[in-house]
């Protein structure tokens, strides 16, 4: 069965000056189409959240909607997202998605970790070595997210070295009710997805999250 995937790509209040979301969403779409997904990229994030009834997998590649001070979203969008979670939609959160969807009450708790302004940080962009459970480590040009606040149990499947030598989670999986949630904190720009090891990790996480059994 073909997996119907919706990528929520950051624009307007979900955009920021640092992340080329259109570029990275196109990279992710190519990876997922390569493993047989039927992919739609939506740049109207809140409208897309209100129309997830046919989605098997929701990929969030969007920034912090509160960064510019705008808060609040139509209740129908929140209700539709909650309904999708309750029926068991798969979720893949990428990079700064751990600081996104703050108007959706269930988002922060379900992702397993969130970015805390003034406390979470990343060292300068550069070469990152990623250790992956059951696979060969890979090297990627990216940001290393550090000191994220854990919000629930999770099974970490990839790690990177943070500032000061601390081992930091790169990717993890968790089950929330009937939904499978995968998180990958890599993906600052297109260079990240040029790494074959990272593309393989994204494909593996998406496959796991979209599984119905």
């Amino acid at each position: 069965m073909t997996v119907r995937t919706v990528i929520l790509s950051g624009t307007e209040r979900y955009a920021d000056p640092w992340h080329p979301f259109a570029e990275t969403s196109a990279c992710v779409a190519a990876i997922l189409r390569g493993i047989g997904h039927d992919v739609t990229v939506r740049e109207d994030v809140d409208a897309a959240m209100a129309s997830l009834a046919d989605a098997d997998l929701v990929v969030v590649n969007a920034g912090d909607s509160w960064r510019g001070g705008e808060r609040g979203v139509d209740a129908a969008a929140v209700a539709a997202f909650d309904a999708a979670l309750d029926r068991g939609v798969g979720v893949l959160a990428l990079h700064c998605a751990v600081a996104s969807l703050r108007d959706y009450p269930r988002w922060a708790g379900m992702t397993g970790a969130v970015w805390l302004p003034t406390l979470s940080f990343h060292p300068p962009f550069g070469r990152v070595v990623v250790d992956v459970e059951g696979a060969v480590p890979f090297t990627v040009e990216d940001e290393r997210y550090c000191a994220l606040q854990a919000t629930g149990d999770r099974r970490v499947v990839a790690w990177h070295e943070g500032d000061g030598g601390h081992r930091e989670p790169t990717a993890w999986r968790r089950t929330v009710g009937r939904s499978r949630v995968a998180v990958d904190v890599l993906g600052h720009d297109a260079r990240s997805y040029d790494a074959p090891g990272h593309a393989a990790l994204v494909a593996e996480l998406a496959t796991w999250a979209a599984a119905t059994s």
Side-chain angles (χ1 to χ4, degrees):
M1 184 180 72
T2 301
V3 176
R4 296 164 296 186
T5 295
V6 178
I7 298 177
L8 308 184
S9 187
T11 60
E12 298 180 346
R13 73 188 190 114
Y14 290 98
D16 63 42
W18 310 288
H19 298 98
F21 292 115
E23 180 180 274
T24 51
S25 292
C27 292
V28 175
I31 292 168
L32 299 185
R33 288 179 180 129
I35 59 172
H37 288 215
D38 178 5
V39 179
T40 301
V41 178
R42 296 281 302 268
E43 295 185 335
D44 49 346
V45 173
D46 294 317
M49 288 286 270
S51 56
L52 296 176
D54 294 328
D56 301 308
L57 178 67
V58 179
V59 180
V60 181
N61 185 39
D64 186 354
S65 59
W66 285 9
R67 186 182 64 85
E70 182 180 350
R71 301 188 182 188
V73 67
D74 192 278
V78 175
F81 181 55
D82 289 348
L85 293 177
D86 290 341
R87 68 171 169 82
V89 72
V91 176
L92 175 57
L94 299 173
H95 198 51
C96 58
V98 293
S100 191
L101 299 183
R102 297 191 191 270
D103 292 308
Y104 294 81
R106 291 169 66 176
W107 179 252
M110 64 176 281
T111 56
V114 295
W115 177 280
L116 294 180
T118 75
L119 295 177
S120 301
F121 66 98
H122 61 77
F125 184 98
R127 182 174 180 268
V128 182
V129 177
V130 180
D131 293 319
V132 183
E133 179 183 78
V136 176
F138 65 86
T139 301
V140 62
E141 295 292 320
D142 215 319
E143 289 178 336
R144 295 174 289 152
Y145 278 9
C146 301
L148 299 178
Q149 173 63 57
T151 59
D153 295 334
R154 55 188 172 170
R155 179 183 173 187
V156 179
V157 297
W159 301 261
H160 61 272
E161 184 178 296
D163 225 16
H166 298 288
R167 202 180 194 210
E168 297 276 358
T170 305
W172 58 89
R173 308 185 315 205
R174 64 195 312 261
T175 301
V176 180
R178 299 179 67 182
S179 291
R180 291 184 173 198
V181 180
V183 179
D184 169 15
V185 298
L186 298 174
H188 177 76
D189 63 24
R191 287 171 288 182
S192 179
Y193 298 103
D194 288 339
H198 187 206
L201 177 62
V202 169
E204 188 278 329
L205 292 172
T207 298
W208 178 84
T212 56
S213 60

